[in-house]
Amino acid sequence: MSPAEVGALADLALDVAREAAALVRDRSEGVTVAATKSSDVDPVTEVDRACEELVRRRLAHARPDDAVLGEEGDDLAGTSGVRWIVDPIDGTVNFLYGLPQHAVSIAAEVTDDAGTATVVAGVVLEVPTGTEYVARPDADGVVRATRDGRPLLVRARAPLAQRLIGTGFSYDAALRARQGAALAALLPRVRDVRRLGSCALDLCLVARGSLDGYLEEGTRLWDHAAAGLVARAAGARFEVTTGVGGRELVVCGPEDGFEDLWVAVHESGFAATVAAPALGPSGTPSAGE
Ligand code: IPD
Ligand code: CA
Ligand code: CA
């Protein structure tokens, strides 16, 4: 797919995310839990559902042949090779409690003729502030990340002991206990940790240099598809491995110095193995890869 075609997907994602964020903002008073999902503390509200319905409706109207993976709806198959990955509200618990960190996340993924799927564009729109994080290719095909139109760049390398690390905890109590134990091992080795409540925004904070790293086990593709691309395009390395609880473990931080974080995450007990696997090369993503 050409950079211009991917750019059109990014434009659509941004238009739809703006409309979706307006819906969430308009309905932010008196929010109640509609149901719980993976555990009693994993809520969904009517606003999550209404937001995802709006996103699906708009995408289907503009591009009826695309597939959709959304957190609150059934997987929709497509025929175009494009799949949209949607988290209607990332940070639902914050939204429920009136806390600011929550965002609409929409990513576009393209599967090539060889069957390789690549996220090519992504939008994370922070609802209360309207801040727009976007990853999209320029005319040269290189994916670039912006915050409200301004280029994003990760923070310069710091010693591990001076890094501020974002993290999150599972909705599953047993896994949370293991995450807590691993965190107790990591905490003395870093500057401090933050648990802000939105995986997508945490990754965007890495992208803009407001966190030195982020790690979490138990995330899902819709949490990080868009924001992972934003972070990578801003100079971060984004790795997915297996966590101590057997679920996906995301580790992200500036490319320069990433290995120190990677090793510390393993040594602290977040991952399935204590020995950190060697890191292969990592490249800046470009459209059409
Ligand atoms: C959650 C948030 C949270 C993270 C959880 C996610 P949701 O997404 O990203 O920060 O810790 O792992 O599930 O449920 O608010 O869409
Ligand atoms: Ca989420
Ligand atoms: Ca969600």
Side-chain angles (χ1 to χ4, degrees):
M1 197 174 256
S2 71
E5 288 170 309
V6 177
L9 298 179
D11 287 341
L12 176 60
L14 186 54
D15 282 351
V16 174
R18 284 174 178 162
E19 211 180 320
L23 178 149
V24 175
R25 215 174 286 125
D26 287 351
R27 294 180 57 174
S28 60
E29 295 297 322
V31 183
T32 54
V33 174
T36 56
K37 299 189 292 181
S38 61
S39 80
D40 287 350
V41 290
D42 179 5
V44 59
T45 73
E46 288 304 340
V47 186
D48 294 72
R49 290 172 175 165
C51 180
E52 181 155 328
E53 277 161 25
L54 179 148
V55 170
R56 284 173 180 261
R57 235 178 8 254
R58 292 290 182 265
L59 293 175
H61 180 72
R63 297 187 49 98
D65 299 329
D66 293 354
V68 180
L69 170 73
E71 181 176 12
E72 311 300 349
D74 294 334
D75 293 1
L76 178 71
T79 54
S80 64
V82 173
R83 179 170 77 148
W84 297 95
I85 302 165
V86 179
D87 192 339
I89 303 179
D90 185 57
T92 292
V93 174
N94 284 342
F95 174 64
L96 187 63
Y97 279 74
L99 292 170
Q101 285 86 3
H102 53 278
V104 175
S105 174
I106 303 178
E109 177 196 70
V110 172
T111 299
D112 65 18
D113 294 341
T116 305
T118 307
V119 174
V120 293
V123 171
V124 177
L125 209 158
E126 188 172 23
V127 172
T129 60
T131 304
E132 297 174 348
Y133 298 94
V134 178
R136 58 183 298 156
D138 276 349
D140 60 6
V142 177
V143 179
R144 297 207 161 77
T146 55
R147 170 191 175 204
D148 294 334
R150 290 186 302 278
L152 286 173
L153 188 61
V154 293
R155 208 170 176 81
R157 179 182 188 139
L160 185 66
Q162 289 171 26
R163 293 190 202 173
L164 184 62
I165 305 297
T167 192
F169 302 112
S170 172
Y171 290 120
D172 175 278
L175 176 53
R176 195 176 278 213
R178 302 179 85 165
Q179 289 173 318
L183 193 60
L186 182 68
L187 195 48
R189 301 182 62 182
V190 297
R191 178 190 291 273
D192 204 346
V193 297
R194 294 289 182 268
R195 197 295 189 240
L196 300 172
S198 160
C199 165
L201 289 172
D202 285 349
L203 289 166
C204 292
L205 291 176
V206 173
R208 66 182 252 199
S210 295
L211 283 176
D212 293 293
Y214 166 75
L215 67 110
E216 180 170 351
E217 177 176 0
T219 48
R220 304 291 299 272
L221 183 56
W222 47 71
D223 296 317
H224 55 71
L229 187 64
V230 171
R232 284 163 64 214
R237 180 144 190 165
F238 176 89
E239 292 287 334
V240 179
T241 185
T242 304
V244 65
R247 308 197 198 166
E248 75 164 27
L249 167 65
V250 165
V251 185
C252 182
E255 180 82 46
D256 187 13
F258 181 79
E259 190 155 5
D260 297 348
L261 175 64
W262 181 244
V263 169
V265 164
H266 284 77
E267 288 176 349
S268 304
F270 284 99
T273 59
V274 174
L279 289 162
S282 117
T284 307
S286 38
E289 266 180 356

